[in-house]
Amino acid sequence: MPRRRPVLILVLCLLAALLPARALAAAGNSLTVYYKPPSGWSTVNVHWAPTGGAWTAVPGVAMSAASCAGWYTRVLDLGSAAGAQLTFNNGAGTWDNHSGANYSVAAGLVAISNGAIATTNPCSATPPSSSPPGGNTATVFYSTAGRAWSTVNIHYAPDGEAWTAVPGVAMNETACTGWVKKTVQLGAATGMQAVFNDGAGTWDNNNGANYRIAAGTSRVAGGSVTAAATDPCTAVPPDTTAPAAPANVTATVDHVTVSLAWSASTDDRGVTGYQITRDPGGTVLTSAYPGYIDGGLAARTTYTYTVRAVDAAGNRSAASATVTATTGDAPPLPEGGAMLGGDPRKESIYFVLTARFYDGDPSNDRGGSQHVSSGNAANNDPMFRGDFKGLVDRLDYIKGLGFSAIWITPVVLNRSDYDYHGYHGWDFYRVDPRLESPGATYQDLINAAHAKGLKIYQDVVYNHSSRWGAKGLFTPTVWGARDGQWDWMYSEKIPGAVYDPMQENALGRAYNGDLWSTTAPAGNTCPNYGLPNGQKSPEGYTIHSCQWPSPTASMFPANLYHQCWIGNWEGEDSRSCWLADDLADLNTENPVVQQYLINAYNTYIDMGVDGFRVDTAVHIPRVTWNRRFLPALQQHLVQKYGAAKAQDFYVFGEVAAFVNDKWNRGSVNHSAQFFTWKERRSYVDDDVQAALDQYNYEEQLGTGNQPASTNAFLNGNAYHAPDHSQFSGMNIIDMRMHMNFGDAPNAFRNGMDSDDSTNDATYNAVYVDSHDYGPNKSSTRYAGGTDAWAENMALMWTFRGVPVLYYGSEIEFQAGKQIDCGPACPLATTGRAYYGDKLAGSVTASDYGVVSSSSGAVATTLAQPLVKHVQRLNQIRRAIPALQMGQYSTAGVSGGQMAFKRRYTSGSVDSFVLVTISSSATFTGIPNGTYTDAVTGDVKVVSNGTLTATVAAKGDLRAYVLSLPGNPAPGKVGSDGPYLR
């Protein structure tokens, strides 16, 4: 996701400043831990790390039953540490990691229950007093939709009082089908916390957050609470009233596409959709929203449309007034190009922030309005500095490192004060001119990369636009005035003038006269437009209502944009609310929005890009991906390339799950591997309801009822044909390995643990750090040391998945520096610093991982030890198909921390390799024959099914390849380097 905003960074910094400092303690500190697990845990482990120390091996150490019922205890030796971080698990994959924050505690005694931390012994505590007097009650209706629970219990705690005994009390009052009911005595309390269960160990605890229920009548359904609710079992009379007819129907034409819009109809119980009749032909189209894009029509043809509103009972309104539209000519076909094709697992990927990589054309550099205040001006370092020309000029550097694919940040035209990275799209159909130059357009870059055998993977954003909307879809009008106070912010209006980021004024601002109005625009829905809201800017200027776009100010139409802030990052609202104030959340369940995005990204497919890295994929429901975006993408690829080559287009989504467990805090809907699967059932046509139904269905099935896969695993020593019949079309970034790359063995173990729940983990994109985070959600670039980097790379280049390296990591560029601070500090001091100074000079690559000549600063860069290491790793990986596409197994492997066997068999190719990294390992039960190490050239003849590979240095590895008929081992690949020798 685009965790690239100064607001978030500021909040994190403030939180860090509020944490209590702890002095170092003397050796011999201990910690007595009491823990009360959720119902159903028969085993309790504590997985922990002393402050400043290493974590225990997963799953941690077992806790013993305490002297009081329901509690477990363990004494931990902290040594000299003053405290520790704790997580707990049941040994079977269910974790309590304090909602991803871990439990941070000091030495001494702690008691942890339901996420709360106390410092008293629960087994000697005084029993809670009886409930205080009072007569408050809470009547709770709980929806059983989608649950096969024969019994429903409510387990609750009135405010200030203790929880009921597990499992709570039965919800056995009279209710109607689909609901259960219980009235709870609250006494003087005005509310309570509650969770629900079936009495047999299955719980609904609102994803660990519990439900907050107030006195009065409440309904709990679909993970949300409706307070002051009506009785859902009250009989409802039949609906016989039709909606009002749609009004103000308009039609606009773009070539052979007609875009319809109308005012939303009203109904006594609510409109559920619209029917559009198109003539000639009487074709009936449907929309859930007051708008429709009718594409692919005949050229130079007149069409008429009428619209009717429909309610849930099937009542239809009268027809709207007729609107007429005449299409023009079909748009010209793009010049375009063609993707290179080939299995994407063969590639290794170099990830660059285009604007920060290499400046090929200083004339398109732009600093923006934060150029001076950020400190960038003092460093002569405009935020938009690198460009496509710079990438074209340094393609040989990337190929010389051995990479065969480049992941670039979004290219669409952005509209933000500080958006050099590209995640605030405004015109999704236009490439940002700050990246292009004459002779170095985006098309030129794609063509030049392809000419050198390098693929281009484009970062794309479906979830949100900039706060200024999306051109061609909706752009909000904000309050503004040139009133003496705000002249510096608002451009003087010029008829016909449009936003052009290449034209900055003396303050670094581009023209924005198209965005503001002193008087409320026609159709304004923002309350108190232009009235002072009582706040002042840092300069002391009066701030007015509707001066800044936000989801809750009614400035965006609800049919095109969501209207809320995220409250629970593991709740349903994380898929339907804004991430931040500068990221306007698109209503991706609206067909109009869907078609806007589909058409936009088809233009880049037509240019010949080789794949999409999908930003913030987790914030769009899987059912929307599976029913709308992924099929549309595949359909366009098949039309362009045919069914076989279309499969080579690599889609890898960012499902940001920042936890160390297999399933993200127990929520399948927020777990990376979940997005690699098709749906297992059908849902209603309406995408909003389908998303809710899918969320509830999958959440209630839980982690134990998800599909499993053997696609990444060998069957003994044999490769088997993978089953991709349930593949969604989206691969994933391996967040589990990323989070655990503090050390390579930990990443290896955690990666393996999730592979059976991923459709095919051999397609996972694997990286240590990126433009967002380092391992374990660190805010700094990886600084584990050169040896650790070498070991990480050795694992990524030989284990399953596609290796990805963030630019500059080949020389530990900016190691330990804060990755992103927004405009609060100079970019030169961050992990997004300009890299071009390291690339000055000339470089020519004669092959992948082979530099035939270089001079200047880039020659010095290419001489660094990790550069030599990654060059040879790329050469070895390219020479052994099993390291690119093979399944793996650790069966019969002993002695090594990271050791495995891999095989890939397809057609005439049969490749089998034994790998151990950083330490020696023995492989038993392997095929007899002659094995040759690709690192040293050592030859071993196996006659008893056993081979021992000897490695003594961190970052070194052995890759013994079996010579098979028609598939001889490649022998020693490349030359000895600082690690592979």
Side-chain angles (χ1 to χ4, degrees), residues 718-800:
Y719 179 88
H720 63 91
D723 178 6
H724 293 151
S725 62
Q726 296 306 307
F727 175 52
S728 67
M730 182 184 291
N731 301 290
I732 51 171
I733 294 171
D734 199 318
M735 298 301 292
R736 186 88 184 274
M737 290 191 72
H738 165 54
M739 284 295 291
N740 287 280
F741 253 120
D743 64 274
N746 197 32
F748 174 62
R749 290 190 298 269
N750 277 274
M752 288 193 296
D753 184 50
S754 296
D755 285 353
D756 65 344
S757 57
T758 304
N759 183 269
D760 192 342
T762 65
Y763 286 86
N764 287 7
V766 181
Y767 58 59
V768 173
D769 63 359
S770 71
H771 58 327
D772 286 330
Y773 290 109
N776 207 30
K777 208 176 181 183
S778 167
S779 61
T780 60
R781 284 193 73 156
Y782 184 75
T786 308
D787 290 354
W789 249 126
E791 184 177 58
N792 291 342
M793 291 177 180
L795 176 62
M796 287 195 294
W797 262 257
T798 57
F799 188 44
R800 57 95 185 119

Side-chain angles (χ1 to χ4, degrees), residues 59 152 187 232 240 299 312 359 401 474 603 625 753 872 929:
V152 181
T240 58
D359 192 1
L401 293 176
F474 176 78
T603 64
W625 285 115
D753 184 50
R872 193 164 184 217

